[in-house]
Amino acid sequence: MAVSKELQGRKVDISEPPPAVQRQASRRPATRSATETFLIGYPSSSISGSQLPTNRQAFQYFLHLQSLPENTGNPKHQDLANETVEAIIPFWQMARIKTMTKYNAAQHFMTLHKKHRDLTRNKGRTGDPGGKRSAFVLELDSLFDIGASDAIQEIERNRLLSREKKDKDIRFYQDQKTERKAHMSGHDKIFESRSQQQAERAARLQQREEQDMNLSQNF
């Protein structure tokens, strides 16, 4: 039954908020903590960058797919894993590195997903017995490695590539699995760090400015 009271001679229904307030409440965005996933972070609607994607990037994109309206309720994780892999494969194609089959790549992701699910069951525990959480976080920030078992041999067999390009492709793959300092610019592989490149560009710019200044002083 609606509850009412007199307010300055007017009868006001206080059984529910006014329609304008209801609409505002329905549009109120969810808090960040509501969408953050234990150890993973927040969903990401895209995978970007000039390196081969990490496990974390794969997982964050998977979470985005899982949050879509058509996938809420009881989504098939295997299907979402397939979609995640499909979004990642173009990076490997750009790097000219052969990948495992899409099915095996999706299974590779599901193994990662199971590890996370097992850790989530104990997220309320204090401490990190056995260092499992810290080990998983390190794994998250490493390469989502879906390279084929003969990926390096496939590069060596590619007759369209020069010896130099073959060596760069192999070196790039090895870098992505370890230090992850190299990045791609198109099909080209760049092994200098961005900070090194920025420093070199700044030095070249300063050199040009000094040359221009010397020329202007000579005239």
Side-chain angles (χ1 to χ4, degrees):
M1 180 177 178
V3 180
S4 63
K5 66 179 180 179
E6 293 294 325
L7 180 62
Q8 294 181 351
R10 291 183 292 126
K11 187 174 284 188
V12 181
D13 189 349
I14 60 171
S15 60
E16 58 184 12
V21 176
Q22 287 181 310
R23 288 195 297 271
Q24 185 178 11
S26 66
R27 291 197 299 265
R28 189 175 298 156
T31 59
R32 285 176 65 85
S33 60
T35 58
E36 186 176 10
T37 298
F38 179 63
L39 299 178
I40 306 297
Y42 300 98
S44 178
S45 60
S46 63
I47 301 174
S48 60
S50 57
Q51 296 182 312
L52 297 179
T54 63
N55 288 311
R56 187 184 299 277
Q57 286 177 293
F59 220 122
Q60 289 175 333
Y61 186 71
F62 174 88
L63 292 175
H64 161 70
L65 295 176
Q66 196 173 36
S67 69
L68 295 177
E70 60 267 29
N71 294 326
T72 55
N74 187 25
K76 294 182 179 179
H77 289 160
Q78 183 68 44
D79 291 343
L80 300 185
N82 287 336
E83 288 188 54
T84 300
V85 167
E86 287 174 356
I88 289 174
I89 284 177
F91 288 86
W92 289 74
Q93 292 173 333
M94 181 66 69
R96 291 191 296 248
I97 301 173
K98 181 183 176 182
T99 59
M100 59 182 70
T101 65
K102 188 171 76 172
Y103 174 81
N104 286 341
Q107 291 303 112
H108 179 65
F109 177 83
M110 291 308 298
T111 299
L112 184 72
H113 186 274
K114 183 181 183 302
K115 287 183 183 179
H116 178 259
R117 188 177 62 218
D118 292 342
L119 288 171
T120 301
R121 288 173 182 157
N122 300 317
K123 68 178 181 180
R125 290 184 181 177
T126 57
D128 183 17
K132 291 183 179 180
R133 289 182 188 175
S134 55
F136 183 73
V137 169
L138 286 175
E139 185 177 2
L140 282 175
D141 293 321
S142 63
L143 175 66
F144 180 63
D145 193 353
I146 55 173
S149 58
D150 63 341
I152 291 178
Q153 291 90 330
E154 190 70 15
I155 294 171
E156 291 284 7
R157 288 194 291 263
N158 192 333
R159 296 180 179 179
L160 299 177
L161 297 179
S162 65
R163 181 70 258 170
E164 181 184 5
K165 287 186 176 180
K166 289 179 181 180
D167 290 342
K168 279 190 173 183
D169 286 356
I170 293 170
R171 184 181 167 197
F172 178 77
Y173 185 26
Q174 292 170 338
D175 168 87
Q176 295 298 281
K177 293 197 287 185
T178 53
E179 295 180 317
R180 294 182 61 81
K181 291 183 177 179
H183 60 277
M184 294 182 287
S185 177
H187 286 298
D188 293 331
K189 312 300 187 302
I190 301 171
F191 295 93
E192 300 168 326
S193 67
R194 283 193 172 89
S195 59
Q196 285 178 307
Q197 292 180 49
Q198 290 170 353
E200 289 178 1
R201 280 197 296 269
R204 288 195 297 269
L205 180 61
Q206 183 178 359
Q207 185 179 17
R208 281 199 298 269
E209 289 175 348
E210 290 174 353
Q211 289 173 347
D212 292 342
M213 186 178 296
N214 291 334
L215 287 173
S216 63
Q217 289 175 350
N218 291 333
F219 285 100

